[in-house]
Amino acid sequence: MAAGPDAYLQGNIRMTLEDPELWRTFHEIGTEMIITKPGRRMFPHCKVNLTGLIPCAKYILLVDMVPEDGFRYKWNKEKWEVAGKAEPQPPCRTYLHPDSPAPGSHWMKQSVSFLKLKLTNNTLDQHGHIILHSMHRYHPRFHIVQADDLFSVRWSVFQTFTFPETSFTAVTAYQNTKITKLKIDHNPFAKGFREEGTNKKRRPNKSPSCLEKRQKMSDMRDSEEENPQDFLHSSYEGYDGDEAELPKKKEVDDIKEERYSPWTAEREHRARTESPAGADARDLYNAEQLVPAPASYPLYRFHEYGKSPSPSSSVSSSNGGSERGSFESRVPDVATVPDHDSSKPHDVAGPSPCGPQHLPGPQDYPGVLNMTVAQAGKPGVIGHHIYSPYNAEQPLGQWSNPGPAQYPPPHHLTADYTAQAVHHGYHHGNVAEWSQYPLFSYSCW
DNA sequence: TCCTCTGACACATTTGAATCGT
DNA sequence: AACGATTCAAATGTGTCAGAGG
């Protein structure tokens, strides 16, 4: 274990999402992310804060994209509808933060941005972008691994974090005009398309026709587009559930964790019914993590939305939970957690008790790992259906015959996803299996 | 015909090198 | 000579839109 004797003792790590309000604004409508052949950045982009790391221990930060479910969607009449089963999972890639590996102090001293992460629909992409299918839903997962170098990753403990409001639909062209407007309003690169912007030439001429076209396509545009209630009501009707009962936005605020998007509502429904932990359904800050335990290395997952279910959640609660989505990892089965108090501010900029550190500057090797993506198909359950690109509703047999082998076949699928999650986080015995799909078999830095 | 995807386009920001002044 | 501020051009990131293609 590259990280030394304390490698198993990664407790109290807390990850908070930067700019959660913006994410929620998008999520309320139904975030869409453009994917292009050359690769497209996300907006909003993923930016997180970390605390609770061991300042002198080195960590690697990774992001991958997990299918939200096993469906393909289509945009029909101002709402998303299920359009069939999801397509086979594209080559699974994980984005490695370019600073990796870096000491905990480095990660904690400022927010960690994944600005340069790009999404593509080009399954033959050679640039290391994360490959997604259009019209499918995904959510990013953030992994933090205590490891001295990239090659130690596969032997180390993964701690995984997700934020429900970061889920999105991958598209090649925006479907929802509300999302387009939000992007234009918030993305500085799109300033030229703002109504009040300096661009007087393009918008006035083209915008109306565009809207007209979309109007034609949507066939049932509401005359009052700005009504959020109407909007929420109209969106995602294919997954309606209890959409009609959505409270008005003002009312939603108090319980926005529960309903701030139809997607969330849908996920939550599943969480409510399927979570073995019986987590408070309102706390939908889905958090996934792989936590080591002495014997079985079970996975722990709980729901947090604006607050942590752990006693130490006062931190996140106090900072509002409205400012940042946050997640604090726990190591419930490991008693010997390193004694670092994550609740107190980290003066990581100060002298490190670890002696001189090599603080790698932003290194120019952002890359991807060809890890097989875990599947959080059942939000209420531990999300790590490792190696299964689909949730339980999907026939696993699909992967026993991987077809034309454009995509690497996953590891064998077992019913015990806990064990697989362990497999993911730890690599204890099944060397042969791992060696089939080396962690770094596809890297592009 | 419908739906999705692609590529060119105009406009914006970002980045880095070159220049200038202190 | 060294440093910081400013300028400028190239690179890059955006949404739009017409048209291709399944």
Side-chain angles (χ1 to χ4, degrees):
Chain A
M1 185 78 73
D6 287 340
Y8 286 77
L9 309 178
Q10 304 181 59
N12 297 330
I13 296 177
R14 171 184 288 273
M15 181 180 285
T16 55
L17 180 67
E18 281 271 305
D19 220 355
E21 290 307 317
L22 181 60
W23 277 104
R24 285 172 202 168
T25 303
F26 277 89
H27 190 53
E28 283 171 2
I29 297 172
T31 311
E32 297 172 20
M33 296 289 179
I34 293 281
I35 56 176
T36 64
K37 269 185 111 171
R40 195 82 149 187
R41 286 187 183 178
M42 297 175 71
F43 187 86
H45 69 269
C46 297
K47 200 173 178 183
V48 298
N49 284 290
L50 279 163
T51 58
L53 304 178
I54 302 169
C56 54
K58 283 191 174 179
Y59 295 88
I60 286 170
L61 254 64
L62 309 156
V63 174
D64 61 14
M65 298 292 167
V66 184
E68 193 87 341
D69 48 45
F71 301 112
R72 177 190 176 88
Y73 292 86
K74 65 176 178 182
W75 179 253
N76 187 29
K77 298 181 177 177
E78 288 298 300
K79 62 182 183 290
W80 286 102
E81 291 177 346
V82 172
K85 278 170 59 176
E87 294 177 30
Q89 179 74 358
C92 301
R93 289 181 174 177
T94 298
Y95 177 82
L96 172 73
H97 192 282
D99 288 1
S100 303
S105 58
H106 175 75
W107 298 117
M108 293 188 293
K109 72 182 175 189
Q110 59 192 8
S111 54
V112 181
S113 170
F114 293 90
L115 177 69
K116 302 207 170 176
L117 186 159
K118 285 188 176 180
L119 308 176
T120 183
N121 58 348
N122 181 12
T123 54
L124 303 176
D125 172 77
Q126 297 294 308
H127 299 92
H129 305 323
I130 292 183
I131 303 169
L132 304 178
H133 281 311
S134 179
M135 313 307 269
H136 289 59
R137 301 206 71 246
Y138 298 90
H139 71 266
R141 289 189 319 178
F142 304 89
H143 309 276
I144 182 156
V145 192
Q146 186 178 338
D148 276 348
D149 55 64
L150 301 178
F151 303 98
S152 304
V153 168
R154 59 191 296 182
W155 313 101
S156 304
V157 181
F158 279 64
Q159 297 216 29
T160 303
F161 304 83
T162 66
F163 303 94
E165 64 266 57
T166 56
S167 66
F168 62 88
T169 306
V171 296
T172 54
Y174 288 125
Q175 308 294 311
N176 188 341
T177 53
K178 291 257 179 194
I179 286 295
T180 308
K181 187 173 186 308
L182 264 183
K183 298 250 184 182
I184 290 172
D185 287 345
H186 291 89
N187 192 332
F189 282 105
K191 261 186 181 174
F193 300 101
R194 292 179 190 171
E195 308 262 357
E196 72 280 9
T198 55
N199 181 5
K200 313 270 185 190
K201 176 172 140 193
R202 205 180 164 91
R203 291 281 297 178
N205 292 338
K206 299 193 173 180
S207 199
S209 66
C210 173
L211 288 176
E212 199 176 308
K213 184 181 174 184
R214 289 182 183 276
Q215 237 173 7
K216 221 167 75 180
M217 289 174 66
S218 62
D219 185 37
M220 62 158 280
R221 174 173 310 274
D222 293 332
S223 57
E224 184 50 79
E225 273 194 358
E226 302 305 318
N227 185 332
Q229 185 189 6
D230 288 351
F231 186 81
L232 280 176
H233 182 66
S234 65
S235 298
Y236 309 114
E237 220 166 75
Y239 264 39
D240 56 356
D242 42 14
E243 299 283 315
E245 295 175 12
L246 281 178
K248 289 182 172 151
K249 194 172 190 330
K250 289 275 184 185
E251 297 167 352
V252 169
D253 282 343
D254 287 337
I255 53 169
K256 59 190 170 190
E257 295 82 359
E258 185 173 12
R259 305 247 172 144
Y260 66 75
S261 104
W263 296 114
T264 304
E266 191 269 338
R267 287 184 63 177
E268 181 184 340
H269 172 72
R270 288 201 256 169
R272 200 181 281 125
T273 55
E274 297 174 14
S275 171
D280 183 347
R282 286 173 300 176
D283 295 339
L284 199 64
Y285 245 69
N286 279 355
E288 304 170 342
Q289 61 173 323
L290 293 159
V291 180
S296 60
Y297 306 109
L299 272 145
Y300 291 87
R301 177 181 176 142
F302 57 87
H303 303 288
E304 175 181 6
Y305 199 111
K307 63 181 181 183
S308 165
S310 69
S312 57
S313 66
S314 57
V315 173
S316 70
S317 300
S318 63
N319 76 8
S322 59
E323 281 305 309
R324 288 175 180 179
S326 78
F327 171 76
E328 180 175 1
S329 69
R330 299 187 297 184
V331 188
D333 283 359
V334 178
T336 50
V337 173
D339 185 19
H340 53 279
D341 185 0
S342 63
S343 64
K344 64 184 174 188
H346 291 265
D347 186 14
V348 291
S352 165
C354 316
Q357 296 178 17
H358 169 59
L359 268 177
Q363 298 173 39
D364 192 21
Y365 54 91
V368 290
L369 312 179
N370 204 19
M371 298 164 57
T372 319
V373 173
Q375 160 69 0
K378 290 188 173 243
V381 189
I382 303 304
H384 293 273
H385 292 197
I386 305 301
Y387 310 130
S388 169
Y390 296 106
N391 61 14
E393 290 84 9
Q394 303 278 155
L396 302 182
Q398 159 177 15
W399 285 99
S400 46
N401 291 314
Q406 182 185 6
Y407 306 144
H411 298 274
H412 74 275
L413 296 165
T414 73
D416 184 358
Y417 53 76
T418 296
Q420 291 180 359
V422 171
H423 189 183
H424 188 191
Y426 279 97
H427 173 53
H428 282 294
N430 212 340
V431 177
E433 198 175 358
W434 263 91
S435 61
Q436 285 181 6
Y437 306 103
L439 199 51
F440 294 91
S441 64
Y442 189 98
S443 58
C444 298
W445 61 79

